[in-house]
Amino acid sequence: MRALVIDDERLARKELINLLSQYDQVEIVGEANNVDDAKEKIEALAPDVVFLDIQMPEKTGFDLLEELDNVPHVVFTTAYDEYAIKAFQVNALDYLLKPIEPKRLGEAIERLLKKLNENQEKSEEIGAFAGRKLTLDDQVFVKDGDRCWFVKLSNVRLFESDGNYIKVYFDNFKPMIHKSLNALDERLSEKSFFRASRKHIINLSWVEAIEPWFNGGLVVTLKGGDRIEVSRRQAARFKDMMSL
């Protein structure tokens, strides 16, 4: 992990850096002696964790956290125990009292490594999910105004474009979501959903009947009665998908 040590006392910084140097998992990327210095170095070096003193001239460690757009993991290092409650209110991972005991520092390092591993696993899961297509077994969150639904895609029979919004058809509901049909089409599995036209994506498992239409197009009737026109350009592809 990449660590930045922030303390206005030079000897305190040196002592902590010496303690941290015993851990192969920790890389000290820098040190800072006040809040403004720390802010610049956090933005430039992007550390995974800061070991942060609370009482410093002009501004405190809490002031630093309020000024940051992206806050790394925080381990407070201080000679005062009265800030502990506030420290954990700002989601600090640990709170080490000076003089720092090697055993307590080791516990903080273990906690940090565990947290970083959890974050890495979550990132990999999110990346894998973002890269795969959504199937009928997936559920999606739909919000329209003050109403929310968590809907299984197998229950969504139709997506209909309406300007910059998409109307989602399921049960007796037709909520609107702010998304383009092109963006949605890229996320949906082609085995389960079909782009019938510029305005519609249909759930193939809901198709009940197909009939010829003008100029080589088709009309698809979905279970429940919705009738959707398939453009001539898409009709041939649709026939191939729905045929033996």
Side-chain angles (χ1 to χ4, degrees), residues 4 21 29 40-41 55 84 95 194 201 241:
L4 178 71
S21 66
V29 295
E40 289 182 6
K41 288 180 177 173
Q55 288 282 33
Y95 187 94
F194 181 77
I201 296 174
M241 291 183 65

Side-chain angles (χ1 to χ4, degrees), residues 125-194:
E125 288 173 3
I126 291 170
F129 181 80
R132 72 172 180 83
K133 299 283 189 176
L134 296 173
T135 70
L136 298 179
D137 292 326
D138 286 306
Q139 289 182 294
V140 293
F141 179 73
V142 178
K143 185 178 186 300
D144 186 354
D146 294 330
R147 300 201 63 181
C148 302
W149 298 264
F150 201 43
V151 190
K152 197 167 184 179
L153 281 174
S154 59
N155 294 328
V156 177
R157 60 187 182 274
L158 174 67
F159 296 98
E160 181 179 37
S161 175
D162 189 349
N164 293 323
Y165 291 81
I166 295 173
K167 193 179 293 183
V168 184
Y169 287 70
F170 60 94
D171 299 333
N172 294 320
F173 302 108
K174 299 177 185 178
M176 306 275 281
I177 59 173
H178 190 270
K179 197 176 187 71
S180 74
L181 206 64
N182 286 339
L184 178 64
D185 192 27
E186 291 178 359
R187 290 299 322 276
L188 297 174
S189 168
E190 293 182 354
K191 295 180 180 179
S192 305
F193 294 90
F194 181 77

Side-chain angles (χ1 to χ4, degrees), residues 38-57:
K39 185 179 178 183
E40 289 182 6
K41 288 180 177 173
I42 288 172
E43 292 173 350
L45 300 171
D48 299 307
V49 57
V50 292
F51 289 86
L52 177 60
D53 189 19
I54 294 178
Q55 288 282 33
M56 291 183 286

Side-chain angles (χ1 to χ4, degrees), residues 202-215:
I202 60 176
N203 184 334
L204 293 173
S205 67
W206 280 75
V207 174
E208 189 171 61
I210 307 169
E211 45 188 295
W213 202 240
F214 300 109
N215 299 321

